[in-house]
PDB file of all heavy atoms in Angstrom:
ATOM      1  N   ILE A   7     138.295 111.612 115.471  1.00 98.00           N
ATOM      2  CA  ILE A   7     137.132 111.903 114.624  1.00 98.00           C
ATOM      3  C   ILE A   7     137.661 112.355 113.260  1.00 98.00           C
ATOM      4  O   ILE A   7     138.583 113.161 113.186  1.00 98.00           O
ATOM      5  CB  ILE A   7     136.224 113.010 115.237  1.00 98.00           C
ATOM      6  CG1 ILE A   7     135.760 112.614 116.654  1.00 98.00           C
ATOM      7  CG2 ILE A   7     135.011 113.274 114.350  1.00 98.00           C
ATOM      8  CD1 ILE A   7     134.888 113.658 117.351  1.00 98.00           C
ATOM      9  N   GLU A  14     128.628 110.457 114.074  1.00 96.00           N
ATOM     10  CA  GLU A  14     127.541 111.016 114.923  1.00 96.00           C
ATOM     11  C   GLU A  14     127.709 110.645 116.400  1.00 96.00           C
ATOM     12  O   GLU A  14     127.566 111.477 117.276  1.00 96.00           O
ATOM     13  CB  GLU A  14     126.177 110.475 114.445  1.00 96.00           C
ATOM     14  CG  GLU A  14     125.663 111.105 113.176  1.00 96.00           C
ATOM     15  CD  GLU A  14     124.888 112.392 113.429  1.00 96.00           C
ATOM     16  OE1 GLU A  14     124.157 112.455 114.424  1.00 96.00           O
ATOM     17  OE2 GLU A  14     125.032 113.331 112.625  1.00 96.00           O
ATOM     18  N   GLY A  27     129.831 120.364 131.577  1.00 98.00           N
ATOM     19  CA  GLY A  27     130.779 121.367 132.075  1.00 98.00           C
ATOM     20  C   GLY A  27     132.231 121.041 131.778  1.00 98.00           C
ATOM     21  O   GLY A  27     133.144 121.619 132.360  1.00 98.00           O
ATOM     22  N   THR A  34     140.092 123.093 114.348  1.00 97.00           N
ATOM     23  CA  THR A  34     139.350 124.104 113.585  1.00 97.00           C
ATOM     24  C   THR A  34     139.983 124.147 112.197  1.00 97.00           C
ATOM     25  O   THR A  34     140.781 123.274 111.856  1.00 97.00           O
ATOM     26  CB  THR A  34     139.440 125.502 114.238  1.00 97.00           C
ATOM     27  OG1 THR A  34     140.762 126.018 114.055  1.00 97.00           O
ATOM     28  CG2 THR A  34     139.091 125.478 115.718  1.00 97.00           C
ATOM     29  N   ALA A  54     139.269 130.343 131.811  1.00 95.00           N
ATOM     30  CA  ALA A  54     139.921 131.606 132.191  1.00 95.00           C
ATOM     31  C   ALA A  54     141.114 131.327 133.104  1.00 95.00           C
ATOM     32  O   ALA A  54     142.186 131.929 132.966  1.00 95.00           O
ATOM     33  CB  ALA A  54     138.918 132.527 132.875  1.00 95.00           C
ATOM     34  N   MET A 171     138.592 116.196 127.378  1.00 98.00           N
ATOM     35  CA  MET A 171     138.630 115.444 126.127  1.00 98.00           C
ATOM     36  C   MET A 171     139.519 116.146 125.109  1.00 98.00           C
ATOM     37  O   MET A 171     139.476 117.373 124.989  1.00 98.00           O
ATOM     38  CB  MET A 171     137.212 115.307 125.567  1.00 98.00           C
ATOM     39  CG  MET A 171     137.126 114.482 124.310  1.00 98.00           C
ATOM     40  SD  MET A 171     135.408 114.266 123.773  1.00 98.00           S
ATOM     41  CE  MET A 171     134.976 112.735 124.574  1.00 98.00           C
ATOM     42  N   ILE A 173     140.281 115.923 121.036  1.00 98.00           N
ATOM     43  CA  ILE A 173     139.835 115.316 119.779  1.00 98.00           C
ATOM     44  C   ILE A 173     140.999 115.306 118.791  1.00 98.00           C
ATOM     45  O   ILE A 173     141.613 116.339 118.536  1.00 98.00           O
ATOM     46  CB  ILE A 173     138.664 116.105 119.161  1.00 98.00           C
ATOM     47  CG1 ILE A 173     137.468 116.096 120.115  1.00 98.00           C
ATOM     48  CG2 ILE A 173     138.271 115.538 117.802  1.00 98.00           C
ATOM     49  CD1 ILE A 173     136.391 117.094 119.756  1.00 98.00           C
ATOM     50  N   GLU A 198     146.732 139.717 110.907  1.00 96.00           N
ATOM     51  CA  GLU A 198     146.651 138.989 109.641  1.00 96.00           C
ATOM     52  C   GLU A 198     147.103 137.572 109.871  1.00 96.00           C
ATOM     53  O   GLU A 198     148.220 137.315 110.329  1.00 96.00           O
ATOM     54  CB  GLU A 198     147.525 139.677 108.586  1.00 96.00           C
ATOM     55  CG  GLU A 198     147.190 139.230 107.200  1.00 96.00           C
ATOM     56  CD  GLU A 198     147.880 140.029 106.110  1.00 96.00           C
ATOM     57  OE1 GLU A 198     148.327 141.161 106.373  1.00 96.00           O
ATOM     58  OE2 GLU A 198     147.973 139.516 104.998  1.00 96.00           O
TER      59      GLU A 198
END
Side-chain angles (χ1 to χ4, degrees):
I7 303 179
E14 284 274 322
T34 72
M171 183 176 268
I173 299 167
E198 196 171 340

